[in-house]
Amino acid sequence: MKLLKLYDNPRSIHAQYARVVLDESGAEYKKELVELPLGNLHPSYARVSPVLSVPALELVPKEGANNNESKVILTDSRDIIKYCAGLEGSGKRLFPEEKRVEIDEVLDMIYSANGGQISFQSQQARDPLFRFVLSHVIGPYRTKLVRRYVTDPEVTNSLHLKKVYEAFGERSARQGPSLEDLSLRANKVMSFLHGKLEKGPWLLGQDHTAADCVAAIWVQWIVWADDPSITVTPRVLSFLHQARQRPAWDETAPMWVIPYVKTRLYAAAALAGCAAAGMISLCVMRFGWK
Ligand SMILES: N[C@@H](CCC(=O)N[C@@H](CS)C(=O)NCC(=O)O)C(=O)O
């Protein structure tokens, strides 16, 4: 037996994938919050996860366990999901032996179109303030932060940490897929899910499996994205509705990220606007209007 610690963020789609499968399999685990989009870049997290992304699952052997066992860290949600397949109890129910190939097929499809990226890019394309803040404020600030950490003596003296930041730099320099490409992929996944649900009520038939857990989160993000170029069929919508009734859904509590980010963005913009108006009024009162 191992003690499980999930490095988590409630608003990360990949953490939600991991969490919903962990919760459905009845695993006991502790959560540690990693703030996004900056907290994951901190050297303390780089020591935990060399890919600097969320989620990560730490598996710690229980006291008294075989001394040869050491701590393991899974840094990809798909590995965390796979790990759940081996868990006692509900783990087996979620990953029936005879359905493993089909479950993998569904997961391959879901992971071929990043639901989080689709939501963010779609919102960026439609909302100028959102676009401005992400590309001109948060993006450059993250780059600056990574540059600062790289030159930090603690990081430069550690080969491991240096490698982590170099790898992150390479990853961020890579151009991601365009929104058109993402929505094409999303439509492909949607029609795949629609076809799978033909026999229903779940993707693989009568039994609810890990494939349903992950696919439902993905569909939820696409519904939230409300992108007119992506078609969500009524059959897929009723699958989502059904998945939302499961107790693990409330526990996983997928929170809609965009309104959360937007509320803060608009509040900050309104504050900045008020401060600017206040400064102008003070100047006019002090120096007059000429
Ligand atoms: N392949 C990874 C991707 C994880 C991922 O992209 N997580 C996002 C949050 S949903 C993240 O941590 N982004 C932070 C960053 O890239 O700096 C997985 O499946 O776990």
Side-chain angles (χ1 to χ4, degrees), residues 12-14 36 40 53-55 75-77 111 142 168 171:
S12 145
I13 185 169
H14 293 95
L36 291 172
N40 64 309
S53 67
V54 176
T75 57
D76 193 275
S77 56
Y111 276 84
R142 268 166 59 98
F168 183 82
R171 194 181 86 195

Side-chain angles (χ1 to χ4, degrees), residues 109-122:
M109 281 307 272
I110 298 295
Y111 276 84
S112 71
N114 185 334
Q117 212 175 3
I118 292 167
S119 282
F120 268 89
Q121 292 202 16
S122 170

